[in-house]
Amino acid sequence: MTQLQPRSSFPTLSRTAFPQSGLLTSALLVLGGAAVVALLAQAEIPLKPVPVTLQTLGVLLVGAALGWKRGFLAMLLYVAAGAAGLHVFAGGSAGLLSASTGLVRPSIGYLASYPFAAALVGFLVQRFGLDRRFLGTCLAMLAGSAVIYMFGLSVLSALTGLKGGALFAAGLTPFILGDTLKLILAALLLPTAWKLLRR
């Protein structure tokens, strides 16, 4: 039976591509990770109260590619940029308040989860090398998605008063199909990227 390797023995894609990376390279990778998520957030289906976007695909991919520290910082930068007024959130929106109601945006819990979801995926990749194979990548993406929904649904319930089936109908059910497709896409992209790097 194969033994698990010691903690942090699996390099990330970014560490493999830039083995001698210093502070400047790390800063550029963090900035690039935030930019990738900002770009993917613009692909939106405007559902209410929470839109469907490619945002979460970016969050999970960035966590896997950059590792837990850089992934966390990249998503922290992304959320901070949007909160500060840069139009990087879904549909080119910005700020922590909804433009239509002036109240705290219902998606704020999902946004708050991004640094932690990216960090968890990055940790699993660095600890177990899950991004090398399809099923392993699926497991890492599922874990990251669970963090996003744990935060998102909890805050959505607190803000709207929705409970049970109504809460799931607003904050979970509309995203299941899309998230499944995004998970499969990530599970294809990451092992393929490793194969290309190893050539």
Side-chain angles (χ1 to χ4, degrees):
M1 184 174 176
T2 303
Q3 296 282 328
L4 289 176
Q5 296 190 32
R7 182 175 180 177
S8 298
S9 60
F10 292 95
T12 60
L13 278 167
S14 62
R15 183 68 67 185
T16 302
F18 305 99
Q20 304 300 323
S21 61
L23 185 59
L24 178 59
T25 302
S26 292
L28 290 174
L29 287 170
V30 167
L31 181 60
V36 165
V37 176
L39 182 63
L40 291 176
Q42 307 318 307
E44 177 194 23
I45 300 174
L47 296 182
K48 300 294 183 182
V50 180
V52 175
T53 74
L54 292 179
Q55 211 170 14
T56 53
L57 173 63
V59 171
L60 302 177
L61 285 176
V62 166
L66 298 188
W68 79 266
K69 289 181 182 178
R70 289 172 173 170
F72 180 88
L73 291 174
M75 293 306 93
L76 195 62
L77 176 61
Y78 169 72
V79 174
L86 295 182
H87 295 271
V88 296
F89 291 156
S93 61
L96 300 181
L97 302 180
S98 170
S100 59
T101 66
L103 302 175
V104 174
R105 60 169 66 229
S107 62
I108 193 170
Y110 297 89
L111 292 169
S113 76
Y114 290 169
F116 303 98
L120 176 59
V121 173
F123 170 79
L124 292 173
V125 163
Q126 291 176 276
R127 178 66 176 84
F128 301 110
L130 294 184
D131 61 335
R132 272 68 168 175
R133 288 183 169 79
F134 181 86
L135 289 179
T137 304
C138 286
L139 288 174
M141 299 296 118
L142 279 172
S145 296
V147 171
I148 292 172
Y149 282 116
M150 181 180 69
F151 275 71
L153 290 172
S154 297
V155 176
L156 182 63
S157 177
L159 291 175
T160 63
L162 294 173
K163 305 287 183 185
L167 177 63
F168 290 150
L172 174 62
T173 307
F175 309 111
I176 291 176
L177 176 59
D179 280 353
T180 301
L181 294 175
K182 285 183 278 186
L183 184 148
I184 293 171
L185 179 59
L188 292 171
L189 286 174
L190 289 170
T192 300
W194 273 112
K195 288 178 182 178
L196 292 173
L197 272 178
R198 287 168 177 162
R199 285 183 179 178

